[in-house]
Amino acid sequence: MAAATVAESDPAVSDGGTAFTGVHSRGWDESQLRKYSFPTKAIPRLSHTDPRAEELINNEQPVVLTDTNLVYPALKWDIAYLQENIGNGDFSVYTSENHKFLYYDEKKMAKFENFVPKSQRMEMKFSEFVDKMRKTQEMGGEERVYLQQTLNDTVGKKIVVDFLGFNWNWINKQQAKRNWGQLTSNLLLIGMEGNVTPAHYDEQQNFFAQIKGHKRCILFPPDQFECLYPYPVHHPCDRQSQVNFDHPQYDKFPNFKDVVGYETVVGPGDVLYIPMYWWHHIESLLNGGETITVNFWYKGAPTPKRIDYPLQAHQKVAIMRNIEKMLGEALGDPHEVGPLLKAMITGRYE
Ligand SMILES: O=C(O)CCC(=O)C(=O)O
């Protein structure tokens, strides 16, 4: 059975830790997926003209749109084309000793002196990135690189022309219909096969447009906050899960046993809608070559004047974030937030 068919028609929870079964005709197979302990359901793959796709986006549920032409002019991009045309700007390139690129906020590091990031950011020209990636590939070790750079006005003319040819008509309509805020950025991601961005959530709406290669995206809804144990808000890894998916530490994070994901594999031309506050773990397929993605991050809609109860899970996450932030400010030291919260609830709210 083709993966597309499975994804469209089989929302059942799989027992083998992946939503995919059988042979796939879309250019990848299951051996290219890393193995995890939790079950997943398939994210629907739909045409952007299908009313079910509209409904999913309206309800802030993930969906893969197969035919938006959102980044059509970029589907010809590969490393050689980008090297020739992307210009002489600086690019943020992360290096990691293993396959994982756990995000950290450099601004939050000052108050966490003992925090040692597991990946390092370097600024370099595109050609330097390509040399570094090739050398890393030749060495064949565990070390990896990942370019993650917001598209800016240093890019060359041909890239600008490609960018202007994106389907702005479609995406502007998506934004307007849902009263989302402004487009904040387009992040260009160029990864090596097997690279992993560990599970985290963003406070923005995201249309994630795949350009080259395949990426597996595992999403978790905001109501799984208690299974995913995000770092504290003041920690550099704010919004990132503390759970190591490769070796879950169940003694520390017991609710991870209950986590259930939604997953898909996106290929060139696919656009995955990642709703704001939804957790996402993203991996470039093993032995699948380099991957290129451009995302479109939008501010969410303003808070409605009338709040409906019961609150939704993402609204509760926002409340928890605000409480942590307020306590950090009031106490003058982020390290005092945890002890105060513990003192406040221990023996009282359990
Ligand atoms: O593609 C990736 O590796 C990560 C992208 C991501 O986290 C995002 O677009 O929010």
Side-chain angles (χ1 to χ4, degrees), residues 20-200:
F20 305 110
T21 50
V23 182
H24 305 279
S25 58
R26 294 179 52 234
W28 57 274
D29 66 63
E30 272 170 71
S31 71
Q32 294 176 270
L33 308 178
R34 293 180 183 275
K35 306 277 181 279
Y36 301 113
S37 58
F38 50 84
T40 58
K41 305 174 196 181
I43 296 175
R45 287 179 59 81
L46 297 170
S47 162
H48 73 289
T49 56
D50 190 318
R52 286 173 297 171
E54 278 290 295
E55 203 180 311
L56 286 165
I57 303 173
N58 288 342
N59 293 330
E60 307 209 5
Q61 301 280 320
V63 56
V64 181
L65 304 168
T66 54
D67 55 0
T68 59
N69 282 335
L70 177 58
V71 291
Y72 176 74
L75 296 184
K76 61 178 173 292
W77 290 2
D78 58 16
I79 303 295
Y81 180 88
L82 291 176
Q83 185 155 7
E84 179 132 351
N85 297 297
I86 203 152
N88 202 31
D90 285 324
F91 291 81
S92 291
V93 173
Y94 292 85
T95 55
S96 172
E97 279 169 18
N98 60 29
H99 56 281
K100 288 193 266 199
F101 290 81
L102 180 69
Y103 174 81
Y104 54 94
D105 182 344
E106 292 171 35
K107 295 188 291 298
K108 293 187 175 175
M109 281 171 62
K111 293 213 165 127
F112 281 75
E113 300 94 12
N114 298 332
F115 170 71
V116 184
K118 294 212 177 75
S119 63
Q120 267 69 42
R121 180 176 60 82
M122 292 195 273
E123 296 299 306
M124 61 184 79
K125 303 295 170 199
F126 197 83
S127 56
E128 292 175 293
F129 159 66
V130 177
D131 288 347
K132 201 167 171 52
M133 180 162 68
R134 297 286 175 242
K135 279 203 189 102
T136 313
Q137 283 162 339
E138 273 161 29
M139 285 192 319
E142 268 296 277
E143 192 189 308
R144 283 145 188 288
V145 295
Y146 206 162
L147 181 147
Q148 301 190 7
Q149 174 63 47
T150 301
L151 286 174
N152 58 34
D153 54 12
T154 65
V155 299
K157 232 191 228 154
K158 279 195 173 171
I159 304 293
V160 172
V161 171
D162 292 340
F163 184 79
L164 294 175
F166 287 179
N167 193 349
W168 294 106
N169 181 37
W170 176 79
I171 203 161
N172 289 342
K173 277 190 191 145
Q174 300 309 304
Q175 173 196 20
K177 267 190 282 196
R178 285 147 194 129
N179 199 22
W180 290 352
Q182 72 196 57
L183 173 74
T184 58
S185 53
N186 292 105
L187 188 69
L188 168 68
L189 300 119
I190 305 182
M192 290 171 62
E193 59 189 24
N195 281 9
V196 170
T197 298
H200 65 283

Side-chain angles (χ1 to χ4, degrees), residues 146 189 197 200 202 206 208 215 274 280 282 293 295 297:
Y146 206 162
L189 300 119
T197 298
H200 65 283
D202 296 311
N206 187 351
F208 182 88
K215 276 180 168 173
I274 306 178
H280 43 291
I282 298 186
T293 313
N295 75 13
W297 264 319

Side-chain angles (χ1 to χ4, degrees), residues 36 38 40 216-220 261-263 279-281 283:
Y36 301 113
F38 50 84
T40 58
R216 178 199 202 180
C217 307
I218 310 179
L219 274 57
F220 307 93
Y262 290 78
E263 76 168 309
W279 296 84
H280 43 291
H281 154 112
E283 58 188 55

